[in-house]
Amino acid sequence: MHRPIDESGHGAGDGAGRGPVPPPYRPHPVLPVDDGGRSAPGDGVPDPGRVDPRVLGALLARHGWRRRGGAAGRYGRWTPPGSGPGGGTSLLVPDTLAFPDCEDLIGEALTALARSGTPSAREVLTGLAVPSDEIRWWREVPTGPAGTVPWPVQEQLRSAARKILLAGALAVRGRAGYHGSRHRAAAQAALEPVVVGTDPGGRALTAFLPVPPGRPVAVRLYHALHAAREAVDYQRATGGMDAFDSAVEAGVSRELTEGLVALVRGTEGARVALAWAPAAGVPEGCAARPEPVEFSPGDLPALREASARYLTDEPSVPVRVTGAVVRMRRSGPRGEGRVRLRVLGGADVGHVRVTLDEEAYRTAGHAHLVGLPIRVVGRLESRGGFRRLTGASGVVPVQVDEAERDRLMKSLHENLDFLEEACEPEEER
């Protein structure tokens, strides 16, 4: 078992008077603090009765707040990052729940955080509202007026962070050097609960992955980022790419290397750091306080070479796909033609394109007209992102229940021009 709190900088007390740890938070606690009118409606701070003071202290320490005194085992006084011993807003946070006024002190501290102009205060409240693992990205880039970076540079950071998060979510679904469109819908759905906070200067960005369901993504990225760093070091030292092959099992992929290239390109260096939710403990096999993983412009050639290697080396996959015909196209009234299927089963992609001979093409058209999907055997090619089926054979209609058939027929009547569109160039998706 892992201890729920493992971060330094927060007094734990003597243990003799420690009260029981309160129950877990609600998924989205947004109740205002009832502090006799001192907190304005809509402050949206967590319910102080559900906040563990040890978790609050750990989050304050993580985000740069300093403990500057207080009675050991009773309470501590915390000041925000950059403030001196006597300056700036300070918070009085109890060490335990053993004293009658603990909830009042926590409520006052939460209200002060909600009203604070310190950027880290909002991140602390986010970590309290929904216990989350944190992933933070930094980019060393030239700054503009007032220490900020241009909007396009900020968008580059957001785009790179999205790619890296998606790579982690894809690796949770399965290990592969190149995922393409496989598992993409499920991976994107897994990232929907993620909350993102930006640094005012635009050089850093933090993603909060709720625990659950986001911890598997955070754990996979922890292992994948370290494996990518080791593989780059090996390539730069020896010139060999073997380490990237073995790193696939840790979650490294073309998607991750592309994300790292986007993160580092145009900078003097970049870092990615993970921090575990204090309320949830440390995942098995992970460091309690992971060091940031750093990448530099000198790593770009190795990352780009690995990305190209993953793309060309990922093999095609034999599949038996069941799908509904959504588009048909051929150059004349007879001969082979191309069909686009919405995949219902047999492959972890949304749509595939397949070239069929004249008889199979006719079978696919008849099946579509009567509201039936077809089944086809072939190989899912990595070229194009696993969206193309080659060597197709065994095309047969598939019986489905009445509800599914009615839905397919409704789709047909809503898209009666699908055959007319066949005369136009098919868009690559």
Side-chain angles (χ1 to χ4, degrees):
M1 297 293 292
H2 300 288
R3 295 180 58 192
I5 304 297
D6 54 72
E7 306 218 13
S8 60
H10 178 241
D14 56 11
R18 187 181 299 280
V21 177
Y25 316 114
R26 294 161 292 175
H28 298 284
V30 292
L31 296 179
V33 176
D34 182 7
D35 58 358
R38 294 190 301 275
S39 176
D43 277 349
V45 297
D47 182 352
R50 295 177 177 266
V51 172
D52 183 347
R54 295 174 296 166
V55 172
L56 175 55
L59 288 171
L60 289 170
R62 173 183 298 173
H63 292 284
W65 290 65
R66 299 288 302 275
R67 179 168 176 157
R68 299 188 181 277
R74 297 177 65 89
Y75 66 87
R77 185 169 294 279
W78 295 81
T79 57
S83 62
T89 302
S90 66
L91 308 177
L92 196 61
V93 179
D95 286 340
T96 74
L97 295 172
F99 307 104
D101 61 344
C102 288
E103 188 172 329
D104 292 338
L105 290 176
I106 292 175
E108 292 173 359
L110 296 178
T111 301
L113 284 171
R115 295 176 174 178
S116 173
T118 304
S120 61
R122 179 54 55 185
E123 295 182 341
V124 172
L125 288 175
T126 301
L128 288 172
V130 183
S132 306
D133 297 324
E134 299 178 22
I135 304 178
R136 181 179 290 264
W137 296 263
W138 292 272
R139 300 176 86 226
E140 296 298 330
V141 294
T143 58
T148 60
V149 300
W151 173 257
V153 178
Q154 296 185 38
E155 185 55 33
Q156 291 169 9
L157 173 58
R158 295 185 184 93
S159 176
R162 283 193 295 267
K163 291 179 180 179
I164 293 173
L165 281 175
L166 181 59
L170 287 168
V172 170
R173 306 292 301 182
R175 309 291 192 274
Y178 176 44
H179 295 278
S181 61
R182 294 178 295 174
H183 303 296
R184 188 163 295 264
Q188 291 172 336
L191 297 178
E192 288 180 359
V194 174
V195 177
V196 176
T198 57
D199 179 78
R203 298 201 300 175
L205 183 146
T206 304
F208 298 87
L209 282 66
V211 182
R215 171 147 288 188
V217 176
V219 171
R220 184 47 49 206
L221 277 177
Y222 167 84
H223 293 294
L225 288 168
H226 283 84
R229 178 67 265 172
E230 293 172 2
V232 169
D233 291 339
Y234 180 85
Q235 193 279 337
R236 295 187 67 174
T238 68
M241 298 294 293
D242 298 347
F244 279 104
D245 296 336
S246 58
V248 170
E249 187 58 31
V252 181
S253 63
R254 172 181 169 85
E255 285 77 9
L256 180 64
T257 54
E258 289 284 286
L260 292 174
V261 168
L263 181 68
V264 177
R265 186 175 52 232
T267 73
E268 299 176 3
R271 308 191 304 278
V272 186
L274 286 89
W276 312 116
V282 180
E284 184 177 356
C286 300
R289 287 178 288 276
E291 293 293 327
V293 183
E294 300 185 5
F295 295 91
S296 70
D299 300 326
L300 289 175
L303 290 170
R304 289 186 174 120
E305 185 177 353
S307 180
R309 181 185 179 94
Y310 286 139
L311 178 62
T312 58
D313 288 357
E314 188 65 22
S316 59
V317 182
V319 292
R320 188 183 185 194
V321 171
T322 301
V325 178
V326 295
R327 169 173 285 186
M328 304 184 71
R329 177 178 182 269
R330 61 181 176 182
S331 57
R334 305 186 66 84
E336 69 176 21
R338 287 202 291 178
V339 173
R340 182 179 174 90
L341 301 179
R342 178 171 57 84
V343 176
L344 304 176
D348 299 308
V349 295
H351 294 82
V352 295
R353 295 186 300 274
V354 53
T355 299
L356 302 176
D357 60 31
E358 182 174 353
E359 182 178 353
Y361 186 85
R362 186 182 302 113
T363 300
H366 289 165
H368 182 83
L369 291 174
V370 297
L372 292 176
I374 62 172
R375 181 176 294 127
V376 56
V377 177
R379 298 191 69 86
L380 200 60
E381 290 288 340
S382 61
R383 291 179 300 171
F386 293 95
R387 298 184 179 93
R388 190 186 310 276
L389 200 66
T390 61
S393 63
V395 177
V396 294
V398 178
Q399 293 296 329
V400 295
D401 58 44
E402 288 300 323
E404 177 67 11
R405 183 169 178 171
D406 289 345
R407 192 180 63 77
L408 291 172
M409 289 297 293
K410 181 180 179 182
S411 175
L412 168 64
H413 289 299
E414 291 175 348
N415 299 278
L416 289 176
D417 57 346
F418 83 106
L419 284 173
E420 297 176 4
E421 294 176 357
C423 298
E424 302 173 1
E426 182 177 11
E427 58 184 314
E428 296 291 328
R429 293 183 181 176

